[in-house]
């Protein structure tokens, strides 16, 4: 993160590290940063949407899925989430 503070992929990877250590708040924060810097990163955006959904923020999850569906209309996973 220090070397690439504006890299969505770096924040996504850091979120996995934090999650594996049990720091779910930190992972959530890092996934939000990943989405902010790289909203086309399908993996990071889907993980963030799932965290939103599991946390009860359905509208935020739907907003991310709609944005992703516009970018990746043929993705079967996204079709199931819509």
């Amino acid at each position: 993160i220090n070397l690439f503070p504006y890299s969505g992929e770096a924040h996504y990877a850091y979120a996995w590290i934090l999650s594996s250590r049990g720091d779910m708040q930190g992972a959530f924060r890092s996934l939000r940063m990943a989405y902010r810097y790289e909203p086309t990163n399908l993996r990071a955006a889907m993980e963030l949407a799932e965290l939103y959904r599991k946390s009860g923020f359905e509208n935020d999850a739907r907003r991310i899925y709609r944005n992703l569906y516009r970018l990746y209309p043929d993705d079967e996973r996204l079709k199931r989430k819509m």
Side-chain angles (χ1 to χ4, degrees):
I1 298 296
N2 291 334
L3 292 175
F4 304 103
Y6 303 109
S7 166
E9 192 64 32
H11 282 280
Y12 174 70
Y14 190 54
W16 274 103
I17 292 168
L18 294 172
S19 177
S20 71
R21 293 180 179 170
D23 182 359
M24 296 313 291
Q25 285 184 330
F28 195 63
R29 190 171 40 251
S30 204
L31 281 173
R32 283 196 309 260
M33 296 299 285
Y35 185 68
R36 175 185 294 164
Y37 293 131
E38 201 175 327
T40 59
N41 183 325
L42 186 60
R43 294 179 306 157
M46 287 187 72
E47 288 291 330
L48 178 59
E50 281 304 306
L51 273 179
Y52 274 134
R53 179 167 285 164
K54 289 176 184 175
S55 300
F57 298 102
E58 289 289 327
N59 290 337
D60 292 314
R62 278 192 222 107
R63 176 181 47 82
I64 291 172
Y65 284 130
R66 277 193 305 269
N67 290 340
L68 290 174
Y69 188 72
R70 282 187 213 115
L71 294 169
Y72 306 101
D74 296 327
D75 191 290
E76 292 299 321
R77 296 169 297 176
L78 291 172
K79 288 179 183 178
R80 288 191 297 270
K81 299 290 183 180
M82 298 301 290

